[in-house]
Amino acid sequence: MSSTITDPDAALKGALRAHESRTGAKVEVRLVVAIALVSAAALAWQLLLMRWLAIAHWHPFAVMIISLALLGHGASGTWLSLWLRDERRARLERHFDAAFAWCAVLFAASAAATLVLARVIPFNGLELVWNPRQLLWLGALYLTLSVPFFFAAACFGLAFARHGTRIPALYGADLLGAAIGAIAALAASLMPVQHGLLMAALCGPIVAWMVARERAVRAAAVVIALALLALWPTQALAPRANEFKGLSKALLLPGAHVIAEGTDPYGSFTLVESPLVPLRHAPGLSLGHADEPPAQLAVFTDGDAMSPIVHDDGRAGWQWLEAMTSALPYRVRTPDTVLVLGAGGGMEVLQALSLGARHVDAVEQSDRRLRWARDDFAAYSGQVLRDRRVRTFVAEPRAFVRASKDSYDLIVLAGGESFASGGAGVQSATEQYALTVEAMGEYLARLTPDGILVATRWSKQPPRDELKLFATAVAALRGDGVADPARNVAAIRNWDASTWLLARSALPPNAVTALLRFADEHGFDVVHAPGWRTRAQDRFHQLDPPTLFDGVQALLSDGTRDYIRAYRFDIEPARDDRPYFAHFFRWRSLPELLRLRAQGSAVLLDSGYLLLVAALVQAIVLALALVLLPLRALPRPRTSATSSPARVRVGLYFLALGLAFLLVEIAMLSRLTLLLGHPWLAANVGLAAMLLCAGLGSLAAQRWLERPDVDDAVLAHRIRWAVRAIVLGLAWQFVVFAAAHAIAAAWPVPLRALLGFVGIAPLAFAMGMPFPLGLARLARCAPAWVPWAWGLNGCASVVAAILALLLAIAIGLRATLVVALALYVFAAWVWRERQASGLAIRDANA
């Protein structure tokens, strides 16, 4: 039963409604544009904030940003439920323009202020495992960054509350604005991230000026706009790279300075020169090599993952390139054709040319990074990428391999993580589709019959990613029909790095002899060679215990599964369904690792994974504190005892919807990363598709509600229909994505993004229906419980954004989607039409 509100200003409200009916078109157009701008600004801010945090920190903050954005929206909905009661609702009708404009101004002001605060909050994810205070700083960062989303959501809520009859038009503007915001964020990736964020924030004062009539509000909008513009030429909002990142460390060298900066959708790039103390990057360089490598320029991506541009003045010697573990494939078998995946600054290309390759194809994902090495600083590098033997390609490496028809004698997996980030496990929640079993299989298919695949990794103790890489390679060989993978693999190690060879056919005896000779000349240890077993006393670099050597033999034996299960770290081969190559954490090892912290072993506690767990706990606490518990201030509806089971079923319905929607969304973003080649591009396309199409589904549900024959049974039937559509939509998504991988690998990124959109659209459209249909059912039989249903759904969404990634890491993306589907089916089952009559709730104000 709906409640009635006594309004002392009924005459004024009647006059306002009459005025609105006469000038509705004008108000609607102005408000529609304002809503679209706020929506575009909020989504662009959300996407660019991911970029900002990727530079400031190592960690994959995408799911955390989605979660805190939902926290801001949920808290805003709760605040409006509490504030818009009794006379305040009547006051909103009189002062809507001012309230809406102030929220837009506060969105802009809080956006800039929260970035300033985020720069000074001393959060460091690397310290999370040994410094408990970092949990507090993580909570402070999470809560601070949610504030702008609170005010953006308040704009939407105020508009929906004031102009209830125009919700479809306003909601449509919200959806259109979200799509525009995703495109705008993609365009803004070509400029420094702080400038893109400022442009998004400037939409707030623009909206306030459009909507407000009061001079005070317009004056405030002008002041905020001028303050934001004054920040443009400064570095006040620029991300400050973590002190342990490679860029921060390089700039500590005397005389080191930045000589170039650039951005594109694949990252923010910084080029550093150090003339007084030259930079020299040579992973796996033999300790027996006495000469210094040439000076280098360092290319940093998002403040880390250095890639060098090697100086060539015509007098440099290249013997150092032969004294690295990565030179092994050129000594085993001199290749004619080489494919370098992840060319970066070109050092791997230089090594291939210096060691005898006749033709090199260099693939680089970032056009900006490639132009620095090939064009802008070509004179510094001796024109290495302009050599007539070299062809350069701008493409996502795995997509290039899928699309290529050429075969290569050698494929080099270049690039990779920095030593610091790899050692601390900060990338444990990042998708790395280039290092999965399926990716290895695709690389093998592009090799000539005697071809070799090679990868060099940093050495860590105890070994983790080296064993995981080897396990993944062995699984790929076995999947390719190789009965005895031991004959097709080889590996050597230095004190700091190791190089791993994966051959399409068995390595012949002369190749093994060449490997042993090369290792002996340069003081490298043989980890594995076909038919060879190194004695412990013959190794140059002693390890106690020799876990790497023993692990390799175990992974080649019949007891592979038992060894992987028993190992202290997760070295299960990475697959496309579980592409988290850098995830090594096992809960059963936690007590032992915690005991070893005092001995300097805190780095073994993968901070990236533990950060997600900490963020999940804090999301639960903050969602309860800011979204659900404040609703207790609402008048408590009086209920009969017989209605309690029905209330539980309704609560479970909205809880399941909130969990299921975000589980699907996060899993879809991860799957879309494989199609588009980069998680940030996937976030742009995926969020735009999900928000736009789910919103259209909600509008379609709204049209059903306007029919005169709609009752509870009809609504329950529509919900079941929507759940069936979700099942079909997910099947459609699998088909489209599989077809896209098979036939569209060589297509330009915009066309692949369009395919991704087409694959997601039907699923998202169906997912947009159960929530508004459920709210409509609840509003008919128990309107006083609508805010609680909204709060339950909001809490579940805040938590599920982080929970989804943890589930994907644990059980895989497909299983996560199955869990989401089960939740949708459970929601349709738990609140069936015959239970609606049990929800006899009377409003306390009735």
Side-chain angles (χ1 to χ4, degrees):
M1 183 171 65
S2 62
S3 61
T4 58
I5 300 175
T6 302
D7 187 357
D9 299 317
L12 178 59
K13 287 171 60 181
L16 286 171
R17 289 195 185 97
H19 175 73
E20 181 179 323
S21 65
R22 292 191 302 269
T23 62
K26 180 179 178 181
V27 173
E28 184 171 336
V29 170
R30 179 166 52 89
L31 190 57
V32 162
V33 174
I35 288 289
L37 274 176
V38 173
S39 179
L43 188 61
W45 183 269
Q46 180 178 347
L47 292 167
L48 292 170
L49 191 58
M50 295 178 190
R51 292 287 301 270
W52 194 93
L53 287 172
I55 300 170
H57 302 276
W58 274 301
H59 302 281
F61 277 99
V63 294
M64 181 173 162
I65 296 301
I66 293 172
S67 176
L68 64 86
L70 291 168
L71 176 66
H73 280 72
S76 178
T78 296
W79 170 74
L80 289 175
S81 296
L82 297 173
W83 189 71
L84 292 178
R85 289 186 293 160
D86 303 328
E87 70 280 358
R88 290 197 184 98
R89 183 173 290 273
R91 192 183 306 164
L92 174 64
E93 296 194 17
R94 298 192 301 270
H95 302 293
F96 165 76
D97 290 351
F100 186 96
W102 275 117
C103 286
V105 168
L106 289 173
F107 162 74
S110 63
T114 54
L115 282 188
V116 173
L117 287 175
R119 279 170 51 93
V120 299
I121 290 176
F123 171 69
N124 186 351
L126 295 182
E127 298 180 18
L128 192 65
V129 295
W130 71 78
N131 184 358
R133 284 180 296 181
Q134 290 299 325
L135 292 173
L136 299 177
W137 294 126
L138 175 62
L141 184 68
Y142 187 94
L143 193 59
T144 297
L145 295 176
S146 68
V147 173
F149 300 104
F150 176 93
F151 290 112
C155 291
F156 307 140
L158 289 171
F160 295 159
R162 173 64 180 85
H163 298 280
T165 60
R166 294 174 183 160
I167 284 181
L170 298 179
Y171 199 49
D174 181 12
L175 303 176
L176 180 61
I180 294 173
I183 297 172
L186 193 59
S189 67
L190 301 177
M191 64 177 66
V193 64
Q194 66 269 23
H195 291 168
L197 288 166
L198 279 173
M199 292 179 66
L202 279 168
C203 291
I206 293 173
V207 166
W209 183 272
M210 289 173 51
V211 174
R213 292 291 180 265
E214 291 84 351
R215 291 184 177 179
V217 182
R218 286 195 163 191
V222 171
V223 170
I224 294 298
L226 291 176
L228 293 175
L229 290 173
L231 293 173
W232 187 278
T234 72
Q235 295 293 310
L237 302 185
R240 183 181 298 162
N242 185 289
E243 61 180 318
F244 295 109
K245 278 195 166 186
L247 175 60
S248 300
K249 291 297 185 182
L251 291 177
L252 293 177
L253 294 173
H257 59 281
V258 175
I259 60 174
E261 292 180 301
T263 61
D264 67 16
Y266 299 100
S268 175
F269 307 105
T270 307
L271 191 64
V272 174
E273 181 183 33
S274 180
L276 299 181
V277 183
L279 299 170
R280 293 185 172 93
H281 178 76
L285 182 64
S286 171
L287 293 175
H289 184 77
D291 298 331
E292 290 184 338
Q296 300 167 354
L297 301 178
V299 181
F300 293 97
T301 302
D302 291 337
D304 205 45
M306 172 190 170
S307 179
I309 299 177
V310 180
H311 183 49
D312 180 11
D313 58 2
R315 296 173 296 177
W318 306 119
Q319 293 81 2
W320 64 282
L321 293 169
E322 189 178 358
M324 298 165 64
T325 58
S326 55
L328 174 62
Y330 301 96
R331 290 297 164 255
V332 168
R333 182 182 297 152
T334 302
D336 283 337
T337 56
V338 177
L339 173 63
V340 176
L341 298 176
M347 187 174 75
E348 287 80 7
V349 176
L350 176 63
Q351 185 178 47
L353 295 176
S354 301
L355 298 182
R358 296 182 180 180
H359 179 82
V360 180
D361 283 350
V363 179
E364 171 54 44
Q365 191 171 33
S366 168
D367 179 65
R368 164 63 65 183
R369 192 161 47 189
L370 180 61
R371 282 193 285 115
W372 275 355
R374 184 191 59 197
D375 302 327
D376 299 349
F377 296 91
Y380 183 91
S381 64
Q383 313 286 336
V384 61
L385 293 182
R386 291 186 173 185
D387 190 288
R388 58 181 178 81
R389 296 167 291 176
V390 177
R391 293 189 302 176
T392 57
F393 301 88
V394 177
E396 192 274 318
R398 188 168 167 187
F400 178 88
V401 170
R402 288 198 301 265
S404 176
K405 303 301 181 185
D406 296 327
S407 296
Y408 298 92
D409 297 322
L410 175 63
I411 296 179
V412 180
L413 300 183
E417 62 194 7
S418 70
F419 185 81
S421 65
V426 298
Q427 301 294 341
S428 60
T430 301
E431 301 92 347
Q432 293 179 277
Y433 283 104
L435 295 174
T436 64
V437 173
E438 293 83 353
M440 296 289 180
E442 292 171 2
Y443 304 150
L444 286 172
R446 294 273 65 82
L447 291 173
T448 59
D450 295 326
I452 293 175
L453 173 68
V454 63
T456 297
R457 306 291 298 183
W458 295 110
S459 290
K460 309 179 185 71
Q461 301 304 324
R464 284 157 283 168
D465 51 349
E466 292 167 298
L467 287 179
K468 193 164 192 172
L469 177 67
F470 189 74
T472 302
V474 170
L477 284 171
R478 286 173 173 158
D480 202 39
V482 177
D484 185 12
R487 300 170 59 198
N488 296 60
V489 294
I492 61 173
R493 71 176 297 272
N494 195 20
W495 69 275
D496 64 333
S498 59
T499 294
W500 303 79
L501 266 60
L502 179 65
R504 188 169 184 179
S505 57
L507 290 169
N510 63 326
V512 176
T513 301
L515 180 151
L516 298 175
R517 185 184 306 113
F518 175 76
D520 186 64
E521 289 175 359
H522 296 287
F524 300 140
D525 291 326
V526 178
V527 179
H528 173 76
W532 180 265
R533 175 74 173 178
T534 307
R535 296 179 302 172
Q537 59 268 28
D538 294 334
R539 294 172 186 150
F540 293 99
H541 310 283
Q542 297 294 322
L543 297 175
D544 186 20
T547 308
L548 181 63
F549 301 92
D550 295 342
V552 165
Q553 299 308 313
L555 292 172
L556 290 170
S557 69
D558 295 333
T560 299
R561 297 301 311 160
D562 293 336
Y563 181 81
I564 290 175
R565 282 194 294 265
Y567 198 66
R568 288 185 176 88
F569 299 95
D570 184 356
I571 56 171
E572 184 77 26
R575 297 183 181 273
D576 283 350
D577 186 54
R578 206 168 158 244
Y580 308 99
F581 180 86
H583 172 69
F584 309 109
F585 183 81
R586 287 193 190 275
W587 283 103
R588 68 168 183 259
S589 300
L590 183 61
E592 179 183 1
L593 295 174
L594 289 175
R595 288 194 300 271
L596 293 173
R597 283 192 310 166
Q599 303 176 25
S601 298
V603 72
L604 300 179
L605 291 161
D606 291 338
S607 60
Y609 184 81
L610 293 177
L611 173 68
L612 281 178
V613 175
L616 175 65
V617 173
Q618 293 189 347
I620 294 172
V621 173
L622 291 174
L624 290 174
L626 299 179
V627 179
L628 194 60
L629 293 182
L631 292 174
R632 294 177 62 86
L634 290 173
R636 296 272 305 172
R638 295 193 301 270
T639 64
S640 63
T642 59
S643 67
S644 295
R647 294 202 313 275
V648 171
R649 286 189 287 269
V650 172
L652 290 174
Y653 174 87
F654 286 100
L655 193 66
L657 290 187
L659 291 170
F661 191 99
L662 266 296
L663 290 183
V664 172
E665 180 177 298
I666 299 303
M668 286 298 101
L669 294 183
S670 292
R671 287 172 55 80
L672 194 58
T673 299
L674 175 59
L675 180 61
L676 299 183
H678 195 274
W680 192 74
L681 289 176
N684 274 265
V685 175
L687 288 178
M690 292 294 292
L691 292 174
L692 179 61
C693 297
L696 293 175
S698 297
L699 290 178
Q702 178 66 31
R703 292 184 179 180
W704 289 346
L705 297 174
E706 294 172 356
R707 297 180 180 178
D709 59 339
V710 172
D711 58 14
D712 186 78
V714 171
L715 289 175
H717 173 74
R718 292 294 188 185
I719 289 173
R720 292 195 299 273
W721 183 93
V723 170
R724 296 189 191 103
I726 290 170
V727 175
L728 294 176
L730 186 60
W732 165 260
Q733 189 272 337
F734 275 104
V735 170
V736 172
F737 274 37
H741 294 318
I743 66 175
W747 292 10
V749 172
L751 290 181
R752 280 186 277 148
L754 180 61
L755 270 180
F757 188 97
V758 169
I760 293 173
L763 172 63
F765 183 86
M767 288 169 58
M769 296 180 179
F771 181 68
L773 292 174
L775 281 182
R777 288 186 70 190
L778 190 60
R780 289 166 181 263
C781 62
W785 286 101
V786 168
W788 287 92
W790 192 286
L792 276 173
N793 184 266
C795 280
S797 299
V798 171
V799 172
I802 300 172
L803 179 63
L805 184 53
L806 290 171
L807 274 177
I809 292 172
I811 63 177
L813 295 170
R814 284 193 293 266
T816 302
L817 291 172
V818 170
V819 171
L821 285 182
L823 286 169
Y824 272 118
V825 173
F826 171 78
W829 171 83
V830 76
W831 190 22
R832 301 182 294 280
E833 64 269 19
R834 65 176 178 270
Q835 280 123 15
S837 59
L839 194 64
I841 302 177
R842 292 176 298 161
D843 195 306
N845 291 332

